[in-house]
């Protein structure tokens, strides 16, 4: 049986993503889930992802070694830069939730909107897209917008309001051809944002699942 360790910082993703991944893979998977909300909450309090957070993240990643998992999947976009820094210290392959999405945005976008609901995600997502653009030798405009009130609604369980806020925010800024929903928790708003803008809207869960499938040689 396939074995995957998943690392989450948002409980709603822990509640939904593992079953979505298993359904997409079409088989039962042995999963170990690590939910570590403090990696983001502590960063917000301290104003940076400090050495304490880096050590804690590395310990979370090494759970996969202890569990002898095939793969580590990190479902929080805010962690991506620090996961990439730490990956050489972990003896298991790692997939981050947003890398494939950011690569796709760089490939297809000429004027790219990054829409986020958590401030800790903005820098990593914009940085990742710009890094992909640089790697490709391509020039494109990347602009970010933040709506923390949408996250507040989601934390209260009000997915409808969360999606409406993001649709309305995206519609305020015409002229983009590609919109990136920076966090996995924002995926529910994809349809609303597409309807409001007519743009290509990218979400990280589906892109991440494609990477997991590719790892296991699935289509």
């Amino acid at each position: 049986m396939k074995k995957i360790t998943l690392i989450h910082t948002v409980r709603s993703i822990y509640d939904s993503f593992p079953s979505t991944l298993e359904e997409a893979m079409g088989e039962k998977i042995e999963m170990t889930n690590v939910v570590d909300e403090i990696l983001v909450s502590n960063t917000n309090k301290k104003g940076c992802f400090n050495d304490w957070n880096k050590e804690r993240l590395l310990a979370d990643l090494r759970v996969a070694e202890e569990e002898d998992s095939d793969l580590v999947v990190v479902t929080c976009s805010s962690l991506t830069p620090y996961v990439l820094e730490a990956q050489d210290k972990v003896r298991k392959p790692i997939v981050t939730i947003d890398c494939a999405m950011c690569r796709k945005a760089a490939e297809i976008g000429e004027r790219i909107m990054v829409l986020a609901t958590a401030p800790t995600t903005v820098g990593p997502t914009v940085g990742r897209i710009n890094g992909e653009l640089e790697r490709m030798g391509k020039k494109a405009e990347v602009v970010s917008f933040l709506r923390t009130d949408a996250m507040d609604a989601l934390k209260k369980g009000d997915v409808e309001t969360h999606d409406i806020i993001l649709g309305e925010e995206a519609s305020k800024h015409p002229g983009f051809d590609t919109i990136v929903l920076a966090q996995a928790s924002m995926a529910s708003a994809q349809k609303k944002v597409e309807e409001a803008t007519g743009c290509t809207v990218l979400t990280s869960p589906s892109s991440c699942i494609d990477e997991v499938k590719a790892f296991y040689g699935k289509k």
Side-chain angles (χ1 to χ4, degrees), residues 47-131:
C48 66
F49 199 85
N50 58 22
D51 289 342
W52 183 88
N53 281 303
K54 291 179 181 180
E55 290 176 8
R56 187 178 178 100
L57 173 61
L58 182 58
D60 289 343
L61 293 169
R62 284 178 171 163
V63 168
E65 297 176 351
E66 182 67 23
E67 294 290 296
D68 196 26
S69 296
D70 308 320
L71 180 69
V72 188
V73 177
V74 181
T75 67
C76 177
S77 301
S78 298
L79 299 181
T80 295
Y82 314 107
V83 172
L84 296 177
E85 285 179 13
Q87 63 184 353
D88 291 341
K89 300 175 183 178
V90 181
R91 297 190 304 274
K92 295 292 178 179
I94 302 172
V95 169
T96 60
I97 192 80
D98 62 333
C99 280
M101 176 184 67
C102 292
R103 185 166 58 248
K104 180 72 170 178
E107 288 171 352
I108 68 172
E110 299 296 335
R111 194 159 186 259
I112 304 164
M113 177 193 300
V114 173
L115 194 55
T117 63
T120 53
T121 309
V122 176
T125 303
V126 171
R128 185 70 185 176
I129 295 170
N130 280 327

Side-chain angles (χ1 to χ4, degrees), residues 141-204:
E141 185 179 6
V142 184
V143 181
S144 64
F145 301 97
L146 176 66
R147 288 297 298 263
T148 58
D149 53 338
M151 175 63 82
D152 293 340
L154 189 63
K155 286 180 178 179
K156 295 174 183 176
D158 191 349
V159 177
E160 182 178 2
T161 297
H162 166 271
D163 295 353
I164 289 171
I165 289 170
L166 294 177
E168 290 177 347
E169 180 63 27
S171 68
K172 292 178 183 177
H173 310 286
F176 291 90
D177 54 80
T178 305
I179 298 176
V180 171
L181 301 184
Q183 295 134 245
S185 59
M186 299 170 69
S188 62
Q190 181 176 16
K191 184 177 180 181
K192 188 73 70 177
V193 174
E194 286 174 342
E195 291 173 348
T197 64
C199 293
T200 297
V201 179
L202 303 178
T203 65
S204 54

